[in-house]
Amino acid sequence: MSLSLLLAQRFRKSQRNSGFMGFMARSSSLGIILGVAVLILALSVVNGFQQQLVERLLALVPHVEYVAADRPIEQWPQKQQRLERQDNVVAAAPFIAVNAMAQYRGKLEAAQVRGVVPELETRVSIVDDFISGKKLTELDANEVIIGAQLAKALGLERGDSLTLLMTDINNPSDALSAPIRLNVQVAGLIESHGPLDKLQVYLPLTALQQAFAFTEDQVTGLRITLGDVFSAQSESMRIGRSLDDYVYVNSWVRTQGGLYQDIQMVRTIVYLSVFLIIAVASFNIISSLFMEVKEKQSAIAILRTMGASDVIIMLAFMLQGVVSAVIATLIGALVGVLLALNITDIFVLWSDFIGENKLAGVYFIDFLPAQIHWQDIALVAAITLVITVLASIYPAWQAAKIDPAKVLGN
């Protein structure tokens, strides 16, 4: 083994001094470096999107909602406590939700009005973390918190008065009935860089109960937060059976599941495409090794006559390819990690340079996140080395089969 390693080092040194062969070796190493770096960066960005999906979007939107089908849900305090006693349920909260038009100085914008119990809502949502101004628990009866983008579209600022035009949910089939008007004051803005900013309006539950002539124990729905967010689809029906109301069951899988599936699909595509790049770069080693075997036939023949076995010759050329791959993989991993750690800042600089944020209004975040998983780096490195070893076997085997008599006889 030591002789094979010594020969591999000598072959690598002579390869660097050879013009065309040195270029081939450097290009294959550069391909591995770029492939490994791009794969680690791409996987880190995909991991970042998934992390943001769970920590930001799914911490804001309901994991599961039970919405009244034909009449309000009554005695909501008892049913809220009943839901919280179910396995996997972290917290539950009531709400009244209604589509509306927000009116301010002649401007109209679509809005989703949601009446909540502030103390309970903060247990199922982190929306308070993204509110500037008054928090949910600080709202008065006639105050609301609205999305920052909705406020911008209306030209609103905190302290301005706003009119909400809402359909009477007690008579949803009567399209000709006059809308219910509710005059409120803007006390805070939601700046989550997500869907809530565009449509959402929060106000105290009692305000909507009075507007729609509901009793204190009547709501249109109950919302729960799960300990295992990815079990929402399977758990929603089981948990919902604890209610004796006729309700529609909505989970985040139905409303945001397409985004999660897209993230997983992108992860698969990234693996396939970039591993193909690494494979191509690794198999370039075959070309460089074949050329080196051809050039060093005389040296190999002399070594054979001096007693070097097939295994020693084969290991010498395999080690040459593997050492190149190890160095290229380490450099590629380092470059990939450095890019992943700084990709958010790089994206901001790029957006400032071109004067446009390509993610704004497209995804639930307007920045490029990244999260490094060390197991991804280990997997990338392991697969790269395996491909390189496989690519080095055949030319090394050809070198071991060189007949000294034929080479030296010529």
Side-chain angles (χ1 to χ4, degrees):
M1 183 68 178
S2 58
L3 178 58
S4 297
L5 183 59
L6 177 62
L7 290 173
Q9 291 174 342
R10 298 294 293 271
F11 289 160
R12 275 179 53 80
K13 185 177 180 180
S14 64
Q15 187 184 63
R16 287 196 296 267
N17 297 329
S18 176
F20 184 69
M21 286 181 55
F23 171 76
M24 289 290 295
R26 285 190 293 271
S27 64
S28 60
S29 296
L30 181 61
I32 294 175
I33 291 172
L34 291 177
V36 170
V38 170
L39 182 54
I40 290 175
L41 174 61
L43 290 176
S44 298
V45 170
V46 172
N47 293 335
F49 270 101
Q50 183 167 321
Q51 178 195 32
Q52 292 297 318
L53 176 70
V54 174
E55 294 184 358
R56 181 183 292 262
L57 182 60
L58 296 186
L60 289 170
V61 303
H63 291 179
V64 180
E65 280 186 333
Y66 301 103
V67 183
D70 51 6
R71 60 184 180 184
I73 296 174
E74 298 184 352
Q75 298 179 342
W76 69 258
Q78 293 88 330
K79 293 173 182 178
Q80 178 252 346
Q81 294 174 8
R82 192 184 307 169
L83 288 173
E84 289 189 339
R85 287 195 294 267
Q86 302 299 310
D87 293 338
N88 198 25
V89 176
V90 176
F95 65 88
I96 296 177
V98 59
N99 293 327
M101 296 298 295
Q103 183 182 40
Y104 179 72
R105 293 183 178 178
K107 292 183 179 180
L108 284 172
E109 292 289 337
Q112 294 176 349
V113 178
R114 195 175 185 92
V116 298
V117 178
E119 294 77 11
L120 297 178
E121 187 68 15
T122 53
R123 296 175 58 207
V124 297
S125 172
I126 62 169
V127 65
D128 254 3
D129 295 343
F130 302 98
I131 295 176
S132 59
K134 280 191 174 182
K135 305 298 184 181
L136 283 176
T137 52
E138 300 170 345
L139 287 181
D140 294 330
N142 68 329
E143 292 181 328
V144 298
I145 294 170
I146 74 171
Q149 292 185 33
L150 176 59
K152 183 177 179 180
L154 291 168
L156 274 170
E157 295 182 356
R158 291 202 304 268
D160 290 338
S161 295
L162 173 70
T163 300
L164 299 175
L165 306 176
M166 304 174 292
T167 303
D168 189 354
I169 54 180
N170 293 308
N171 299 294
S173 59
D174 189 359
L176 298 178
S177 62
I180 294 177
R181 300 173 65 92
L182 189 61
N183 295 317
V184 293
Q185 187 177 39
V186 177
L189 301 177
I190 306 170
E191 298 179 88
S192 65
H193 303 284
L196 294 185
D197 299 4
K198 302 176 183 178
L199 296 170
Q200 200 69 55
V201 177
Y202 282 102
L203 72 166
L205 181 70
T206 53
L208 286 187
Q209 286 176 329
Q210 295 174 5
F212 295 116
F214 280 14
T215 62
E216 290 184 357
D217 68 345
Q218 287 183 322
V219 293
T220 62
L222 291 163
R223 163 183 178 169
I224 62 173
T225 292
L226 300 175
D228 180 9
V229 64
F230 295 108
S231 67
Q233 188 75 352
S234 58
E235 293 280 73
S236 58
M237 296 303 295
R238 177 189 66 81
I239 296 170
R241 292 191 185 98
S242 64
L243 301 175
D244 51 11
D245 296 88
Y246 179 35
V247 294
Y248 296 118
V249 181
N250 292 321
S251 72
W252 74 266
V253 178
R254 177 177 297 178
T255 58
Q256 309 293 335
L259 181 60
Y260 178 71
Q261 294 300 325
D262 288 346
I263 291 174
Q264 300 309 309
M265 182 180 67
V266 169
R267 180 191 297 274
T268 302
I269 293 173
V270 166
Y271 266 116
L272 291 176
S273 59
V274 183
F275 272 133
L276 287 175
I277 297 173
I278 295 175
V280 170
S282 298
F283 278 98
N284 281 340
I285 295 174
I286 295 178
S287 301
S288 61
L289 287 180
F290 263 123
M291 292 176 62
E292 186 159 6
V293 169
K294 186 70 175 176
E295 183 181 292
K296 290 188 169 49
Q297 282 184 337
S298 298
I300 295 170
I302 293 173
L303 287 169
R304 293 292 303 277
T305 58
M306 294 174 65
S309 64
D310 292 353
V311 174
I312 290 176
I313 301 298
M314 189 172 179
L315 282 176
F317 282 92
M318 284 187 64
L319 285 172
Q320 188 176 348
V322 170
V323 168
S324 298
V326 168
I327 295 173
T329 301
L330 291 176
I331 295 174
L334 179 61
V335 172
V337 169
L338 289 175
L339 286 174
L341 290 174
N342 296 281
I343 191 62
T344 302
D345 295 333
I346 293 172
F347 179 78
V348 171
L349 292 174
W350 173 252
S351 298
D352 292 341
F353 176 74
I354 65 175
E356 181 184 7
N357 188 330
K358 296 293 185 180
L359 294 181
V362 178
Y363 295 104
F364 58 94
I365 53 176
D366 58 2
F367 61 95
L368 201 59
Q371 184 182 42
I372 298 173
H373 289 172
W374 297 108
Q375 57 267 33
D376 287 340
I377 298 175
L379 180 62
V380 170
I383 293 179
T384 302
L385 294 178
V386 168
I387 294 175
T388 304
V389 170
L390 294 176
S392 303
I393 289 176
Y394 185 68
W397 179 75
Q398 288 293 314
K401 294 303 178 183
I402 288 177
D403 187 352
K406 291 182 179 180
V407 174
L408 298 178
N410 295 330

